[in-house]
Amino acid sequence: MRNRLLGILIALMACVLAALGVPLAYLIAASEQSKVVVDRIDDAARFAQDLPTQGRLTTAVKGDPEPGPGDIGRLHALTTEAERYHELYGARIGLFQRDGSAIAVSPTGWRPPAAGPGQQAYHEALAGRRSHNPPQVWPWTPDRTLAVALPVVRDGDVIAVVLTESPTGGLRSRILHRWMVLAGGEALAMIVAILLAVRLTGWVLRPVRTLDRATHDIATGRLGARVAPSGGPPELRRLARSFNDMADHVVLAIDQQRAFVADASHQLRNPLAALLLRVELIGLDLPEGHEEELVAVREEGARLARVLDDLLGLATAEGSRPEPEPVDLVDLVRTRADAWRPLAGQRGVALHWEGPPMAHAWADPIGFGSALDAVLDNALKFTPAGGEVRVGLLIGKDEVTATVTDAGPGLTEEELARVGDRFWRSSRHQNIDGSGLGLSIARTLLLAGGGGLDFAPAEPNGLTVRLSVPRRRGRR
């Protein structure tokens, strides 16, 4: 989300800078060219004033090809001035009569262009219009020249044209230089905009990250997690407060539900015990032949008592708030395996241990031991006599995992997705003793301590249960 939001902000800023920079770049080029055009028009006007036609009606008439005899000296001065102008500025300049013949021109022999912008400017001047908007010169058009023409008007008639054709190298260099300054300014503005976007994104998303972390903690069983007051937009701060209120109500409802389950389980145990006692007393007075019904009643009573005990254990586990501590998991797992070894021997099941000599992790030792007991009890129940249960320990990068693999019938893929749900038991295992709450209690105990419980099929048959806890504090 941070990268997407940051990308959107940067893209918007880039579009804004481009929307401002492109027109500004065009205006810079147009302004530089306009300065050159104005200078050339001024120069052409000066040459037009020096054209020796003042007071001579014959040369002031349109179409007169030659100046009068008295103008020879001024024509020579004008030609000399044109040559100096060409040498000084590198621009070609010429004064042409309407028929195209040269009055004064430099370099010698230069004539009005037969095509292109020069021809257009020349014809506009013949029509009485001076050049005011020649085609724009860009830095990537080195072969371009800038043509400016000015009509020489006497008594309302155009009698001659002053045409200049200037190289554009200097103009293109000035445009490029100002564009580079503009690009540098825009790059600096972009860097500042990116820094501001990063800070703005962090300011906006900080409450979201805190909220996401608190939500994850609550979802993984740490119901005491709350969103600490922090900065950010007012709407997100209000959302954080609403989240804390909602979490308080959820925790209250869960605690009430657990208390109800625990109280109901506890209160039902006494009437059940009294009922079983009365069944035993009634059984003493029953005539022979009713032992089978009496045994069935006893078994159902014992099963109901186990369910109540498991419900009470589940409510206690869900209400617990253990504090994980550093534990040598090898010692803990081997101790619990040794405790179950005598029962395994009675059932004809071999219990094997394989693991590293030491594995430290962060776990609630009581909760982890109870969860491992439930898993070992389950593995021994489903492993047939002559089979084996393998207990191992794996050290990963972030967690330590205890594995219990039985040699039972295993579970299908659909059953693997449901194993660990409350009261769920496979339809193929209904004849095996159990309430369907043992693995649920194990998962609850591990989640409360920051761990987890997973299931996987074993080879060639059976089920592997993995009990994982973090290696370091607060890594899950």
Side-chain angles (χ1 to χ4, degrees), residues 33-115:
Q33 177 167 312
S34 177
K35 292 178 182 177
V36 176
V37 171
V38 170
D39 289 343
R40 297 298 178 266
I41 289 177
D42 291 342
D43 296 339
R46 182 166 55 82
F47 278 92
Q49 289 177 354
D50 294 339
L51 187 65
T53 57
Q54 288 289 351
R56 296 189 72 255
L57 183 61
T58 54
T59 54
V61 175
K62 180 168 61 178
D64 189 358
E66 295 292 340
D71 296 328
I72 298 300
R74 297 184 62 182
L75 280 176
H76 177 71
L78 191 61
T79 302
T80 304
E81 183 69 17
E83 291 175 351
R84 292 175 58 189
Y85 182 87
H86 174 64
E87 293 174 358
L88 183 62
Y89 299 106
R92 289 177 285 193
I93 186 169
L95 281 81
F96 303 98
Q97 298 197 41
R98 292 187 60 86
D99 60 355
S101 57
I103 300 174
V105 65
S106 180
T108 304
W110 180 58
R111 292 291 181 269

Side-chain angles (χ1 to χ4, degrees), residues 166-461:
S166 307
T168 57
L171 173 62
R172 289 185 285 107
S173 298
R174 290 193 297 274
I175 293 175
L176 187 60
H177 174 71
R178 293 193 61 182
W179 279 10
M180 292 180 65
V181 173
L182 175 64
E186 292 221 336
L188 181 61
M190 193 66 193
I191 293 173
V192 174
I194 290 174
L195 294 177
L196 291 176
V198 171
R199 291 186 63 83
L200 177 64
T201 304
W203 178 71
V204 170
L205 294 183
R206 187 179 303 112
V208 177
R209 288 196 297 269
T210 306
L211 189 62
D212 177 66
R213 190 162 48 246
T215 304
H216 178 267
D217 290 342
I218 291 177
T220 54
R222 291 183 284 273
L223 300 180
R226 295 293 183 273
V227 180
S230 61
E235 292 80 3
L236 292 180
R237 293 202 298 269
R238 186 165 56 252
L239 177 62
R241 290 192 295 271
S242 300
F243 176 84
N244 287 339
D245 294 340
M246 181 197 68
D248 291 339
H249 285 89
V250 169
V251 170
L252 178 61
I254 292 175
D255 288 342
Q256 291 175 344
Q257 181 184 9
R258 289 170 181 167
F260 172 76
V261 173
D263 293 343
S265 302
H266 181 72
Q267 293 299 325
L268 286 175
R269 292 178 67 185
N270 290 335
L272 179 61
L275 179 62
L276 291 177
L277 181 59
R278 289 179 181 275
V279 168
E280 292 296 333
L281 293 177
I282 293 173
L284 294 176
D285 298 333
L286 284 177
E288 294 183 358
H290 296 279
E291 288 78 6
E292 186 175 350
E293 290 80 1
L294 185 59
V295 169
V297 171
R298 287 172 180 165
E299 290 179 351
E300 289 300 323
R303 181 170 175 273
L304 182 57
R306 282 196 300 273
V307 171
L308 292 177
D309 289 341
D310 288 344
L311 281 174
L312 183 59
L314 180 61
T316 303
E318 289 180 338
S320 63
R321 301 287 188 272
E323 281 295 330
E325 58 185 75
V327 176
D328 182 4
L329 220 58
V330 172
D331 183 57
L332 179 59
V333 172
R334 295 195 66 171
T335 300
R336 299 316 307 158
D338 291 340
W340 284 90
R341 203 176 301 279
L343 179 60
Q346 291 177 8
R347 296 180 180 179
V349 177
L351 188 59
H352 295 294
W353 154 258
E354 183 178 4
M358 185 177 296
H360 289 288
W362 279 80
D364 169 33
I366 298 177
F368 186 88
S370 300
L372 184 58
D373 286 343
V375 174
L376 286 171
D377 178 38
N378 211 54
L380 292 176
K381 282 192 298 186
F382 285 96
T383 301
E388 65 177 12
V389 172
R390 301 190 302 275
V391 181
L393 204 62
L394 301 174
I395 301 176
K397 180 181 178 182
D398 297 324
E399 60 186 16
V400 180
T401 303
T403 60
V404 178
T405 303
D406 62 45
L411 299 174
T412 64
E413 290 188 4
E414 293 181 357
E415 291 171 337
L416 282 174
R418 295 200 57 192
V419 62
D421 293 348
R422 294 177 183 177
F423 296 108
W424 182 85
R425 301 185 67 194
S426 172
S427 58
R428 297 179 290 125
H429 306 149
Q430 295 298 327
N431 58 336
I432 298 178
D433 188 24
S435 63
L437 288 173
L439 294 179
S440 300
I441 295 173
R443 173 173 284 170
T444 302
L445 290 171
L446 288 172
L447 288 176
L453 187 69
D454 298 308
F455 305 91
E459 295 295 338
N461 60 284

Side-chain angles (χ1 to χ4, degrees), residues 110-126 147 149 163 165:
W110 180 58
R111 292 291 181 269
Q119 183 198 33
Q120 180 182 355
Y122 182 75
H123 285 290
E124 286 178 354
L126 287 178
L163 177 65
E165 194 173 69

